[in-house]
């Protein structure tokens, strides 16, 4: 079945409101690179059904009849938890809500001005393997198979094995070729510049897609048990809601070519502790 562009636009507006409300109609249009007339029509329909609510200052948020089960809410105290996590691990931290088609960043905490992938709250990246692996690992098999189908055929066995290891370890550690670290910095800088130009929406989405493709390769349990330093792009762990469904991915981004075993253990411990804390706050 082919995708429906009008439906995609409605879903995109709802996901953005869930992640970053309140927003004006103009802000929604700029963030999603849609025409303002299209966004106005979508918001008018959502408001008529009670799925969106307009405030006196002309900003929109999710409305009172929007199904609670589908809210992409941020766990209580997430901003403070991310700041504390970033301080304790000495690198940027991020929280994203994972839908069936995309990941939307709903919280960021910089350390010395740097955050994973150099993106901002509200940025959306396609849910294309390997993105979102820590959440997908705890999803039903049919969703895992659909996710694996988005990967390069040559990587599917590697990623299927990674999903199994994530279920055992509770997190994933992504390695990266040191040469690609420089590429990540360049793409992150480009994405940051494009964020200030509404007309550049399609190009920025392509750049964010490239950032996702550069996430690297999953370190195995044997890799992580070795005494030698390892190159690490970032670590990710799922955050479970009270219904025990994984809805968010928590990341920290060392982006370093040689991380010692001691630092790897610090990252693992702090990441899992923060993920558990956020889950308890939902």
């Amino acid at each position: 079945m082919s995708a429906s562009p009008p439906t995609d636009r409605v879903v995109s507006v709802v996901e953005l409101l869930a992640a970053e409300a309140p927003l004006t109609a103009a802000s929604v249009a700029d963030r999603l690179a849609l025409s303002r007339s299209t966004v106005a029509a979508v918001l008018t329909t959502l408001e008529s059904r009670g799925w969106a609510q307009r405030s006196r200052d002309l900003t929109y948020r999710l409305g009172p009849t929007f199904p609670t089960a589908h809210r992409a809410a941020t766990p209580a105290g997430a901003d403070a938890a991310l700041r504390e996590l970033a301080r304790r691990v000495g690198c940027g931290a991020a929280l994203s809500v994972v839908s069936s088609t995309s990941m939307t960043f709903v919280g960021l905490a910089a350390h010395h001005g740097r955050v994973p992938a150099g993106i901002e709250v509200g940025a959306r990246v396609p849910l294309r393997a390997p993105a979102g692996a820590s959440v997908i690992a705890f999803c039903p098999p049919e969703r895992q198979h659909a996710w694996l189908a988005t990967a390069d055929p040559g990587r599917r066995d590697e990623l299927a094995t990674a999903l199994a290891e994530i279920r055992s370890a509770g997190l994933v550690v992504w390695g990266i070729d040191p040469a690609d670290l420089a590429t990540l910095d360049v793409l992150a800088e480009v994405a940051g510049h494009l964020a200030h130009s509404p007309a550049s929406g399609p190009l920025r989405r392509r750049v964010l897609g490239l950032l996702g493709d550069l996430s690297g390769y999953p370190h195995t349990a044997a890799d992580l048990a070795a005494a030698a330093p390892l190159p690490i792009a970032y670590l990710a762990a799922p955050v479970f809601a009270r219904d025990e469904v994984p809805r968010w991915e928590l990341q920290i981004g060392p982006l370093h070519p040689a991380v010692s075993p001691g630092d790897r253990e610090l990252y693992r411990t702090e990441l899992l502790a923060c993920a558990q804390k956020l889950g308890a706050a939902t």
Side-chain angles (χ1 to χ4, degrees):
M1 182 181 294
S2 60
S4 166
T7 302
D8 286 344
R9 289 193 284 268
V10 173
V11 171
S12 295
V13 171
V14 170
E15 287 184 338
L16 186 58
L17 289 179
E20 206 182 350
L23 291 169
T24 64
S27 296
V28 173
D30 290 347
R31 288 294 184 89
L32 300 178
L34 297 173
S35 71
R36 297 194 177 190
S37 60
T38 295
V39 169
V42 170
L43 289 171
T44 297
T45 299
L46 292 175
E47 187 178 14
S48 70
R49 302 293 180 89
W51 280 33
Q53 185 174 30
R54 186 172 64 168
S55 302
R56 290 184 179 180
D57 61 357
L58 303 183
T59 60
Y60 288 83
R61 64 183 72 244
L62 292 182
T65 66
F66 184 76
T68 302
H70 298 291
R71 289 182 185 267
T74 304
D79 288 342
L82 287 174
R83 288 193 297 270
E84 177 64 11
L85 175 61
R87 184 190 69 80
R88 293 178 71 89
V89 297
C91 61
L95 183 69
S96 58
V97 62
V98 180
S99 74
S100 60
T101 59
S102 65
M103 294 175 58
T104 302
F105 285 81
V106 295
L108 293 171
H111 183 79
H112 298 313
R114 195 175 196 184
V115 298
I119 57 180
E120 62 185 7
V121 169
R124 296 170 65 243
V125 296
L127 189 64
R128 184 174 66 241
S134 74
V135 167
I136 295 298
F138 294 91
C139 289
E142 59 271 19
R143 190 172 180 192
Q144 294 181 31
H145 294 154
W147 179 83
L148 286 169
T150 67
D152 183 283
R155 296 199 64 191
R156 289 174 188 170
D157 287 345
E158 172 196 38
L159 292 174
T161 299
L163 293 181
E165 292 210 354
I166 294 168
R167 287 191 293 273
S168 175
L171 79 168
V172 60
V173 181
W174 293 99
I176 190 168
D177 293 330
D180 285 340
L181 286 172
T183 304
L184 275 173
D185 281 339
V186 171
L187 288 175
E189 185 175 353
V190 171
H193 285 304
L194 293 177
H196 302 294
S197 174
S200 67
L203 178 57
R204 185 166 187 262
R205 285 195 293 273
R206 289 176 60 190
V207 172
L208 292 175
L210 290 172
L211 281 168
D213 292 341
L214 275 176
S215 58
Y217 51 89
H219 279 303
T220 65
D223 293 338
L224 297 171
L230 294 175
I232 293 178
Y234 70 98
L235 300 85
V239 176
F240 293 84
R242 289 189 182 273
D243 57 8
E244 298 186 353
V245 174
R247 301 191 186 280
W248 301 270
E249 182 171 88
L250 178 64
Q251 299 178 2
I252 54 175
L255 297 171
H256 198 281
V259 178
S260 70
D263 283 343
R264 297 198 298 265
E265 179 59 21
L266 170 69
Y267 295 152
R268 186 194 71 83
T269 300
E270 295 292 346
L271 180 67
L272 291 176
C274 187
Q276 184 175 18
K277 178 180 180 180
L278 290 171
T282 60

